Amino acid sequence: MAIAYKANWATIGTANPTLTAASGDFLIASIVNLVAVAGNDAITPPSGWTVVASRTWTASAAYKGRHTIYQKTATGSEGSQTWSGVSPLLMNAMVSSWTGVDTATGVEANANTGVPGDGVTPIATSQTFASVTSLTANAMIVAVAYAAESGGSSGGGVWPSTGPSGYTQVIGSAPYVALGYKVQAAAGATGSLAVTLDSDVVAWTAWTLALKELATQTLTPSLLTNTNTFYG
């Protein structure tokens, strides 16, 4: 059963998107927590979410953060979902929903990259998503990113305006978050994915994820043999 993207919900400032996912959908949450005090970057998720991977960084005495990926199989009654932190400067959330995912595994591989920056000085505009090695055929490769921009613009530089061949771009419903996705037919490494950021981006963090496809069950009709013997 081929994996397909359905929708996304995003918030900036607080991580409390309201979801309208259907029961059985596979959900990915990308949560960024920016803090000023070391040790305050921990994130508390809503009930039912499992951590896939997490990355922390310290850019300066006043600028630290954590970028965590969560997964969940939707119940259809999620509604408002709130991730919380200790005295966050800013929290950002992007949740996406997918069909055709083997929810017993979900994310089968992941890789992270990013440039923490100092929250003030623009970083290099040429960046890359890390290469991830999918384990199974027809995996969905999802590249999800967050960019902080000094100019307070809409985050259009999170992903290039013209993405790499085969990737579909999705800009979040809130600024600064975006994702791209494509199906990878054969298991193996994706290779790094180059992007060009806006010139005022001061921090950037990104995950590359491989989602496992739900196997299609093939039903073989049973051959029924009548073993009764009739005598005339």
Side-chain angles (χ1 to χ4, degrees):
M1 181 179 181
I3 300 176
Y5 166 81
K6 285 189 69 178
N8 82 83
W9 306 269
T11 58
I12 289 292
T14 57
N16 58 346
T18 298
L19 314 185
T20 55
S23 177
D25 285 356
F26 180 70
L27 304 177
I28 300 171
S30 171
I31 310 296
V32 173
N33 183 21
L34 303 178
V35 298
V37 179
N40 280 0
D41 57 8
I43 302 171
T44 301
S47 176
W49 291 87
T50 301
V51 173
V52 174
S54 189
R55 172 182 185 267
T56 61
W57 70 86
T58 299
S60 67
Y63 188 71
K64 305 163 183 66
R66 178 182 293 271
H67 187 184
T68 303
I69 300 295
Y70 298 86
Q71 67 180 32
K72 180 185 182 182
T73 302
T75 63
S77 59
E78 275 72 23
S80 179
Q81 299 283 283
T82 300
W83 282 261
S84 59
V86 179
S87 302
L89 297 173
L90 188 70
M91 293 193 75
N92 310 282
M94 185 176 190
V95 181
S96 55
S97 64
W98 308 79
T99 59
V101 177
D102 182 344
T103 56
T105 300
V107 178
E108 65 178 15
N110 66 82
N112 173 266
T113 189
V115 179
D118 60 9
V120 177
T121 307
I123 63 175
T125 57
S126 296
Q127 300 294 336
T128 58
F129 284 90
S131 176
V132 70
T133 301
S134 62
L135 306 179
T136 56
N138 299 317
M140 178 67 80
I141 308 302
V142 182
V144 60
Y146 160 79
E149 295 186 318
S150 61
S153 60
S154 63
V158 174
W159 191 269
S161 57
T162 302
S165 176
Y167 275 82
T168 300
Q169 175 182 340
V170 178
I171 300 296
S173 54
Y176 312 115
V177 290
L179 65 82
Y181 63 90
K182 73 168 185 178
V183 173
Q184 181 161 287
T190 61
S192 59
L193 173 61
V195 295
T196 301
L197 306 179
D198 285 349
S199 60
D200 62 349
V201 170
V202 296
W204 184 75
T205 175
W207 286 96
T208 314
L209 313 172
L211 311 186
K212 183 178 180 180
E213 181 189 34
L214 179 65
T216 301
Q217 294 184 342
T218 302
L219 301 179
T220 303
S222 299
L223 179 62
L224 303 179
T225 303
N226 189 339
T227 58
N228 294 325
T229 301
F230 294 92
Y231 297 91

